[in-house]
Amino acid sequence: MPRRPNIPHSERNCSWARTLDILGDSWSLLVIRELMVGVDRFTLMQERLGISKGILTARLKHLADHGLVEAIQKDKEHPRYGLTEKGYDLFAVLVGIGQWGDKWVFGKDNEPISVLDGRSGSKLAPLKVQTTDGVTLSPEQLRFEAGPGANDATRQSLAKLLSSKSD
Amino acid sequence: MPRRPNIPHSERNCSWARTLDILGDSWSLLVIRELMVGVDRFTLMQERLGISKGILTARLKHLADHGLVEAIQKDKEHPRYGLTEKGYDLFAVLVGIGQWGDKWVFGKDNEPISVLDGRSGSKLAPLKVQTTDGVTLSPEQLRFEAGPGANDATRQSLAKLLSSKSD
């Protein structure tokens, strides 16, 4: 039996579950990408994504409800949207998703879009996970501890993880 | 009318759509996170995630079909799973999702889990988007060009993006 059955992602003491609940389905991240690259008009976004008016409207509302998107021009005929700071802060995640697809779906020298520094034309480096003192880490070098916002379930779950590793 | 109606994500000339199609719903990324932190037993994964046996089985199969996950012990009673290199390569994306949730869902000094360097105990730095020559970039500093794998639809879409910016 699962220890925490039927707890929806939106109520979990977990930054991953809560974030993925907000991001929802894959359309949401594609909408955020459009806004991030400066596509702010509903009609252009709809055309570029090949998405129905209804789905795009629902996704924009969902993201606005969660504070990632705001209407910057409420003109009913030509609405425009933008990202809030909360939305823009998904920049690195979006870059990482694109880099993964370039590498693993399309493969080296077959990527559909080149993402470059607009000034120098330099390519982007693969994202790195680093400490505040500049050390690059791999997954097995991480340590997980209960944080200041941990609840009992999170503490128990971490204890189980540690004991499973010493099996 | 959308220019590319009804083209499923899995067939698009787009690293974001294709990656998000593979990642699927939020359970898949949570399963990848479990494997990334070393939870390799089906039962422990099920318990920690609070997920049904059926959903977990389906997500593991989906990720295995796409080459991100492999069975490392096929014992029917105690199956164990691991990530392939393709799966491990989502490390930075997963860290970025957790950092975003720590910051925007739980807030500073309220994160459920502290992720640290196992050796030094140092905290992780926020992910940065950098060029190969070490320049840190923000979204509006990027330039997008047709890549070597661009098809006609991608070229047209990029041209529209550029012309919309000069409006």
Side-chain angles (χ1 to χ4, degrees), chain A residues 20-38:
Chain A
L20 294 167
D21 179 64
I22 292 170
L23 298 181
D25 70 4
S26 50
W27 283 121
S28 294
L29 270 168
L30 291 171
V31 168
I32 294 169
R33 185 205 57 186
E34 290 298 288
L35 295 166
M36 189 104 43
V37 304

Side-chain angles (χ1 to χ4, degrees), chain B residues 43-61:
Chain B
T43 45
L44 181 59
M45 214 182 308
Q46 196 196 342
E47 186 180 350
R48 280 173 41 92
L49 292 174
I51 186 176
S52 80
K53 207 168 171 172
I55 293 180
L56 180 54
T57 301
R59 289 306 173 283
L60 285 166
K61 182 179 181 318

Side-chain angles (χ1 to χ4, degrees), chain A residues 19-113:
Chain A
T19 300
L20 294 167
D21 179 64
I22 292 170
L23 298 181
D25 70 4
S26 50
W27 283 121
S28 294
L29 270 168
L30 291 171
V31 168
I32 294 169
R33 185 205 57 186
E34 290 298 288
L35 295 166
M36 189 104 43
V37 304
V39 176
D40 60 0
R41 285 182 292 146
F42 187 95
T43 46
L44 181 59
M45 214 182 309
Q46 196 197 341
E47 186 179 351
R48 280 174 38 94
L49 293 174
I51 186 176
S52 79
K53 208 169 171 173
I55 293 181
L56 181 54
T57 302
R59 289 307 175 283
L60 285 166
K61 182 179 181 315
H62 169 83
L63 293 169
D65 288 345
H66 282 92
L68 283 77
V69 165
E70 58 193 351
I72 52 176
Q73 184 175 297
K74 291 186 180 179
D75 178 346
K76 272 203 170 174
E77 292 290 306
H78 304 287
R80 286 177 184 248
Y81 299 88
L83 291 176
T84 61
E85 188 193 347
K86 187 174 178 179
Y88 269 117
D89 211 34
L90 283 164
F91 179 43
V93 169
L94 275 176
V95 167
I97 289 169
Q99 289 182 335
W100 191 89
D102 283 348
K103 179 172 174 184
W104 292 103
V105 178
F106 290 96
K108 192 170 157 50
D109 296 327
N110 192 36
E111 69 272 15
I113 294 179

Side-chain angles (χ1 to χ4, degrees), chain B residues 136-157:
Chain B
T136 300
L137 297 176
S138 57
E140 53 301 347
Q141 292 173 315
L142 298 183
R143 185 169 82 215
F144 301 92
E145 291 182 358
N151 66 14
D152 286 348
T154 297
R155 288 176 194 282
Q156 286 168 30
S157 186

Side-chain angles (χ1 to χ4, degrees), chain A residues 4 12 15-16 37 47-49 89 94 102 104 112 114 116 118 125 130 141 143 145 147 149 160 165, chain B residues 4 12 15-16 37 47-49 89 94 102 104 111-112 114 116 118 125 130 141 143 145 147 160 165:
Chain A
R4 294 176 293 170
R12 294 191 184 210
S15 288
W16 287 271
V37 304
E47 186 179 351
R48 280 174 38 94
L49 293 174
D89 211 34
L94 275 176
D102 283 348
W104 292 103
S114 299
L116 308 167
Q130 292 193 309
Q141 292 173 314
R143 186 169 81 215
E145 291 182 359
K160 282 232 172 190
K165 289 199 174 181
Chain B
R4 295 176 292 169
R12 294 191 184 211
S15 289
W16 286 272
V37 303
E47 186 180 350
R48 280 173 41 92
L49 292 174
D89 213 33
L94 274 177
D102 283 347
W104 292 102
E111 68 273 17
S114 298
L116 308 167
Q130 293 193 310
Q141 292 173 315
R143 185 169 82 215
E145 291 182 358
K160 282 232 172 188
K165 289 198 176 183

Side-chain angles (χ1 to χ4, degrees), chain A residues 99 115-128, chain B residues 128-138 141-142:
Chain A
Q99 289 182 335
V115 184
L116 308 167
D117 179 347
R119 290 166 302 183
S120 68
S122 294
K123 290 192 175 184
L124 300 194
L127 289 185
K128 280 186 294 194
Chain B
K128 280 186 294 195
V129 174
Q130 293 193 310
T131 62
T132 48
D133 33 358
V135 177
T136 300
L137 297 176
S138 57
Q141 292 173 315
L142 298 183

Side-chain angles (χ1 to χ4, degrees), chain B residues 15-167:
Chain B
S15 289
W16 286 272
R18 295 281 286 272
T19 300
L20 294 168
D21 181 63
I22 292 170
L23 297 182
D25 70 6
S26 50
W27 283 122
S28 295
L29 270 169
L30 290 172
V31 168
I32 293 168
R33 185 205 57 185
E34 290 298 288
L35 295 165
M36 188 100 49
V37 303
V39 176
D40 60 0
R41 284 181 292 148
F42 187 95
T43 45
L44 181 59
M45 214 182 308
Q46 196 196 342
E47 186 180 350
R48 280 173 41 92
L49 292 174
I51 186 176
S52 80
K53 207 168 171 172
I55 293 180
L56 180 54
T57 301
R59 289 306 173 283
L60 285 166
K61 182 179 181 318
H62 170 83
L63 293 169
D65 287 347
H66 282 91
L68 283 77
V69 165
E70 59 192 351
I72 53 177
Q73 185 176 297
K74 291 187 178 178
D75 177 347
K76 273 205 169 172
E77 292 290 306
H78 304 286
R80 286 177 183 248
Y81 299 87
L83 291 176
T84 62
E85 189 192 346
K86 186 174 178 179
Y88 269 117
D89 213 33
L90 284 164
F91 179 43
V93 169
L94 274 177
V95 167
I97 288 170
Q99 288 182 334
W100 190 89
D102 283 347
K103 179 172 173 183
W104 292 102
V105 178
F106 289 95
K108 192 169 157 50
D109 296 328
N110 192 36
E111 68 273 17
I113 294 179
S114 298
V115 185
L116 308 167
D117 179 346
R119 290 166 302 183
S120 68
S122 294
K123 290 190 175 185
L124 300 193
L127 289 183
K128 280 186 294 195
V129 174
Q130 293 193 310
T131 62
T132 48
D133 33 358
V135 177
T136 300
L137 297 176
S138 57
E140 53 301 347
Q141 292 173 315
L142 298 183
R143 185 169 82 215
F144 301 92
E145 291 182 358
N151 66 14
D152 286 348
T154 297
R155 288 176 194 282
Q156 286 168 30
S157 186
L158 280 168
K160 282 232 172 188
L161 174 63
L162 292 178
S163 72
S164 81
K165 289 198 176 183
S166 55
D167 275 358

